[in-house]
Amino acid sequence: MMKCCNIESILTAAKIYEPQFFLEYLASEKFASILKIQEQHEKTALTKAKKVAFIAPQLPHPCELEIWNQCVKKLGVEGSLYTHISEERNFIQFAKLLHNSNTPIYLTCYTLDSMNENKTFLSGLEKELEDFQLIISLGENSLASYQAAKVKRSHLSRLVIWQNSPRPPHANIGARSPNGSPLPNIARERTVRKEVLKNSDIVLCFDKDGATWSYLEDVSSQRIRRVSRGINSQRYSSEISSLRRLELRASLGLPETDFIFFHLGPLEIESGALDSVFAFKNLLQSNPLFQGKARLCFCGTGSAGADIRQSIVELGLDDHVYFLNPNGEGLKEIHGNQFSSIIALCDAVIHAPIAPVNGNATKHLDSTYDVMCALASDIIIISNGNNWIGEWVSRFYKTFSAGSIHSLARLMQETIEKQDKVTNVKNAIKKALLNEFPFEKNCNEISEIFKSLIITLPTVEIENTSKLIAQIEEMVLAKQYIDAINLISQAFQKTNLSVIQQANLFRLIGDCFTKLGDLDNGVSNYSKALELDPYCAKCFIGLGTIALQRNNYNIAVPQFQKAVSLAPNDDMASLGLGLAFEGLNELKQALSWTVRACHLKADNTVAIFNLVKLSFEMEQFVDAERVLIRYLGLHPNDVNMIYTLGTIELKTGKNDIALQLMENILTLDPMNSRAHSLIQQIQKQDSVKKPA
């Protein structure tokens, strides 16, 4: 097997054994070109090593973003954060948070759109990640992590999965249908999860359960890194909390003397929200002195919001319960279901998530950092002991029985009445936080893990699977379809093929058969590819192309629409959608998508000629004129395009410009009959216009 040797070892051997060859070789152009190629490779590797990408369709807690920001600083690299377009507001709020604490921000945020079917998919992400050596992606169930895994395979990047709130496949929302059978999308999610875990270099786990699930899913122990969480206690000190308390209560009109319980979690049955309401009612009935002094506060949205509000009205608690809307305009600091920015307004936090029952899925809330922020802010936590953070709190303070409103009401009463005991608990907790969750140590530990991946570049053999697939791609582009199919059969014999690589090979077979006119086999292989990789844009382009060839435009439109949502920057996806709409005689839509294809790739001649055809049919020439001028700026000697632009200028009455364009053609090709003919036509029109 051929092995890759560096140029230094070759030259050293030549200098010793063949000195004359050595001198001649040094002076040769071949040596200069090799040096240039090697220098370019080293430069590319160095540039990639200085760039780190963080992927999070939904931004993690501000405390985790702060860790990412600090790691970028410690590594001395360029940090890019890719998230969903709807998260821009949250990132701006995070930037303000750091600014208020005089902390520089080292992350640059880039927002991408997604598809309606799954918001964890980020359109165009794979193209964005091509230049990154190290990719850190949030969550193994995220489609964005799946996209990152594909980039890792194709561009030899390193991939870290940041296992924030780990959930095994059986605990995903909607994992079972009413009859108990797995839903189809869950099988797909398991495929995604398996592929992500298989391709990750490191799975970064923050609790024991997450590490165990990964190990049980065949992730080797060498790739699992168990690290503790960290919190910057300086940003959540009791002094800062006291100032924020006064500020927030004044802005919300809440009396300073009131004792406020803050229910942590969205308005869902699974977050124990209704239990908190009934326990609070029990507290007021059992202790009339608390009426008008104790209050309950909710912040968030959820499917049970209407039921919870109705229960509060029926129980006569309107004056004692507050709802803070994270999407409203009243308090702009609240975003989503994260409460750390406003948690200082309360005296105690109720942490009451309900655990899954009989294996059925429940909505999962990772409130770990919100609990830690409250504890660092000198606020007591009333917990039912669920999740590891609930177990941790139980070391210092009583817990209540999950689902028991009497148990919760008793602990709420004790929290109000026994302030001396609560103060001692708070002091003990703050010491434990500093010792067990040190921010600086946590950032150093994670930075070292990232650093090891940046320094240790992956070694790759020349004849590896990725190279073979790239070679097949080149053969298909060169229209060597039969040879490509033969090479694909060899690739399938390799034992280390990933699911993504298998899907890519089936897609390439589909491309070959489609180009050879065997449309049935093309559809069959594209379908096999999509079973393995359901988010392959090129497969949908292939299926759409076959539908166009069969004049099945109603089928072609949704196929190309899926391709556009998965690969918004692919000019062929947009062009295909334009052709499909044209087949349905929806010319306005066809024109719009064809123009988009031309803008995505300035020299897509197929798209340009189709745009010109549509323009003449619709008598709309502005877009075609702009596209042609842009194209000729890149290819000024393309006689066909110059002539096409000339016909448009003549059609729109710009005879002088059309005449100049034809003269340009004759300068390049003096015998061009079309140019001579159009010049005669222009001169004839001009003579008719002139008065006798």
Side-chain angles (χ1 to χ4, degrees):
M1 179 178 288
M2 183 185 290
K3 293 186 178 180
C4 183
C5 299
N6 61 31
I7 192 169
E8 287 81 5
S9 62
I10 295 172
L11 291 179
T12 301
K15 187 175 182 180
I16 295 171
Y17 300 111
E18 297 286 345
Q20 185 59 37
F21 164 78
F22 173 71
L23 293 174
E24 292 174 358
Y25 189 74
L26 283 180
S28 69
E29 291 183 5
K30 185 177 181 182
F31 175 69
S33 64
I34 290 175
L35 276 182
K36 189 174 181 181
I37 292 170
Q38 180 171 313
E39 183 182 348
Q40 185 62 39
H41 282 311
E42 290 174 353
K43 187 177 179 181
T44 302
L46 187 62
T47 303
K48 289 181 72 171
K50 291 182 177 179
K51 296 174 67 176
V52 175
F54 295 87
I55 315 300
Q58 182 177 356
L59 290 181
H61 195 278
C63 288
E64 289 172 281
L65 281 176
E66 190 174 10
I67 294 171
W68 289 2
N69 188 67
Q70 190 70 5
C71 287
V72 170
K73 176 189 175 184
K74 289 181 177 295
L75 292 170
V77 297
E78 177 186 329
S80 299
L81 171 61
Y82 291 92
T83 186
H84 189 265
I85 194 168
S86 63
E87 293 288 315
E88 184 175 12
R89 182 184 171 196
N90 290 348
F91 185 80
I92 292 172
Q93 180 61 28
F94 167 70
K96 289 180 180 178
L97 183 75
L98 292 190
H99 177 74
N100 292 338
S101 60
N102 297 318
T103 304
I105 187 159
Y106 299 96
L107 289 169
T108 303
C109 183
Y110 299 94
T111 58
L112 300 171
D113 210 343
S114 66
M115 56 183 183
N116 294 329
E117 294 83 6
N118 196 318
K119 297 297 183 183
T120 67
F121 181 90
L122 295 177
S123 297
L125 178 64
E126 292 167 48
K127 183 67 177 175
E128 294 287 340
L129 295 180
E130 287 179 359
D131 293 332
F132 288 93
Q133 168 63 26
L134 177 61
I135 303 168
I136 296 97
S137 190
L138 183 68
E140 64 270 43
N141 294 317
S142 166
L143 282 184
S145 296
Y146 181 63
Q147 291 173 278
K150 293 170 75 173
V151 174
K152 179 246 183 348
R153 276 281 187 179
S154 57
H155 290 84
L156 308 177
S157 303
R158 310 306 294 270
L159 176 62
V160 175
I161 296 301
W162 185 283
Q163 200 182 58
N164 181 0
S165 51
R167 293 174 296 169
H170 66 268
N172 287 339
I173 297 170
R176 297 277 168 182
S177 63
N179 64 7
S181 61
L183 294 175
N185 65 313
I186 294 305
R188 181 178 294 179
E189 286 185 16
R190 282 177 175 165
T191 301
V192 167
R193 179 188 178 92
K194 185 176 181 180
E195 191 68 16
V196 167
L197 290 175
K198 178 182 177 181
N199 283 287
S200 59
D201 293 283
I202 285 178
V203 179
L204 211 56
C205 304
F206 294 88
D207 56 55
K208 189 175 181 179
D209 282 344
T212 303
W213 283 328
S214 298
Y215 182 73
L216 294 176
E217 291 181 88
D218 296 327
V219 179
S220 66
S221 57
Q222 289 83 4
R223 292 194 291 125
I224 298 173
R225 294 288 191 279
R226 175 81 187 280
V227 293
S228 63
R229 285 177 169 85
I231 182 169
N232 189 351
S233 299
Q234 293 179 352
R235 285 207 298 105
Y236 297 98
S237 64
S238 56
E239 294 79 10
I240 294 175
S241 179
S242 298
L243 293 173
R244 289 286 291 152
R245 173 191 172 98
L246 293 172
E247 177 188 340
L248 289 168
R249 290 204 176 197
S251 64
L252 295 171
L254 296 172
E256 173 57 28
T257 54
D258 283 359
F259 193 98
I260 297 180
F261 294 97
F262 194 110
H263 177 88
L264 187 61
L267 301 181
E268 303 286 354
I269 302 301
E270 291 85 357
S271 70
L274 267 178
D275 285 357
S276 294
V277 171
F278 282 99
F280 184 66
K281 175 67 174 179
N282 191 347
L283 172 71
L284 296 184
Q285 280 189 337
S286 304
N287 303 273
L289 292 175
F290 292 162
Q291 292 194 16
K293 295 181 180 179
R295 301 185 188 277
L296 178 62
C297 183
F298 290 96
C299 175
T301 57
S303 60
D307 292 334
I308 293 168
R309 290 174 184 270
Q310 183 62 33
S311 298
I312 287 167
V313 172
E314 292 173 354
L315 293 171
L317 296 175
D318 305 51
D319 296 333
H320 293 81
V321 179
Y322 288 89
F323 288 89
L324 303 179
N325 184 2
N327 300 316
E329 295 296 326
L331 198 62
K332 295 182 179 179
E333 293 173 315
I334 310 171
H335 299 286
N337 286 317
Q338 295 178 354
F339 318 115
S340 57
S341 62
I342 61 157
I343 214 161
L345 70 84
C346 68
D347 297 283
V349 172
I350 301 172
H351 173 247
I354 296 177
V357 180
N358 298 327
N360 292 325
T362 59
K363 286 185 173 63
H364 182 85
L365 170 73
D366 181 29
S367 54
T368 302
Y369 274 106
D370 284 320
V371 172
M372 293 171 70
C373 291
L375 294 171
S377 300
D378 221 11
I379 297 169
I380 197 68
I381 299 293
I382 300 173
S383 177
N384 63 3
N386 275 338
N387 302 339
W388 78 265
I389 190 64
E391 293 178 9
W392 191 85
V393 171
S394 69
R395 289 165 42 187
F396 307 93
Y397 196 55
K398 288 182 180 179
T399 58
F400 64 91
S401 301
S404 171
I405 59 173
H406 293 287
S407 176
L408 175 55
R410 283 196 300 271
L411 192 52
M412 292 168 77
Q413 178 181 343
E414 186 174 321
T415 302
I416 297 175
E417 292 178 340
K418 298 183 178 180
Q419 283 298 298
D420 290 341
K421 177 184 177 182
V422 170
T423 300
N424 293 333
V425 170
K426 290 178 184 177
N427 292 334
I429 286 176
K430 289 187 74 173
K431 289 181 181 177
L433 276 175
L434 289 171
N435 292 330
E436 297 180 38
F437 307 106
F439 178 73
E440 198 65 26
K441 182 181 178 183
N442 173 253
C443 292
N444 287 336
E445 186 178 2
I446 294 172
S447 296
E448 286 301 314
I449 293 172
F450 293 167
K451 188 176 181 180
S452 67
L453 293 174
I454 293 174
I455 293 173
T456 311
L457 298 175
T459 55
V460 186
E461 295 178 342
I462 292 176
E463 295 180 359
N464 60 16
T465 307
S466 298
K467 291 280 186 182
L468 182 60
I469 293 176
Q471 183 182 349
I472 295 168
E473 290 264 16
E474 291 173 3
M475 293 175 75
V476 173
L477 289 173
K479 301 181 180 180
Q480 300 170 2
Y481 305 123
I482 302 298
D483 292 336
I485 291 172
N486 291 332
L487 198 57
I488 289 169
S489 64
Q490 295 178 33
F492 268 118
Q493 295 173 12
K494 289 187 172 289
T495 57
N496 61 341
L497 285 177
S498 69
V499 172
I500 294 169
Q501 288 172 328
Q502 292 176 48
N504 210 7
L505 290 172
F506 277 120
R507 191 264 303 172
L508 288 166
I509 296 174
D511 287 345
C512 292
F513 279 123
T514 301
K515 296 293 184 181
L516 291 168
D518 189 346
L519 302 186
D520 289 336
N521 259 325
V523 171
S524 174
N525 282 284
Y526 286 137
S527 300
K528 289 177 183 177
L530 286 170
E531 287 175 9
L532 297 170
D533 180 5
Y535 305 101
C536 176
K538 290 183 178 179
C539 287
F540 289 113
I541 291 174
L543 290 172
T545 301
I546 291 172
L548 285 178
Q549 292 179 345
R550 290 173 167 172
N551 298 326
N552 294 332
Y553 303 114
N554 284 320
I555 295 175
V557 167
Q559 300 289 14
F560 283 117
Q561 284 175 332
K562 290 176 184 176
V564 168
S565 68
L566 291 168
N569 295 323
D570 192 310
D571 58 306
M572 296 309 294
S574 293
L575 174 59
L577 190 53
L579 291 170
F581 278 123
E582 185 181 353
L584 294 173
N585 204 32
E586 296 183 21
L587 299 186
K588 188 176 180 181
Q589 288 272 47
L591 181 69
S592 173
W593 285 105
T594 307
V595 169
R596 177 182 169 85
C598 293
H599 285 312
L600 288 171
K601 189 176 181 183
D603 55 358
N604 186 332
T605 54
V606 176
I608 292 173
F609 281 121
N610 198 62
L611 173 60
V612 171
K613 181 170 75 74
L614 285 169
S615 298
F616 274 96
E617 288 179 15
M618 300 174 67
E619 296 284 328
Q620 296 180 18
F621 300 100
V622 176
D623 290 313
E625 183 181 24
R626 187 185 304 118
V627 166
L628 283 165
I629 291 172
R630 181 186 176 202
Y631 175 88
L632 289 171
L634 300 172
H635 308 281
N637 297 328
D638 190 323
V639 172
N640 288 328
M641 289 298 183
I642 296 174
Y643 178 81
T644 303
L645 179 58
T647 60
I648 288 177
E649 300 294 15
L650 180 62
K651 183 72 176 177
T652 56
K654 301 173 185 176
N655 291 14
D656 292 343
I657 299 176
L659 183 61
Q660 181 61 55
L661 288 168
M662 295 306 104
E663 290 174 353
N664 292 347
I665 291 177
L666 293 178
T667 302
L668 297 167
D669 180 11
M671 303 302 293
N672 190 293
S673 59
R674 292 193 304 168
H676 283 293
S677 176
L678 197 63
I679 287 174
Q680 291 176 6
Q681 187 178 340
I682 294 168
Q683 291 172 343
K684 186 176 180 180
Q685 285 187 9
D686 288 344
S687 65
V688 171
K689 290 179 182 178
K690 289 180 181 179

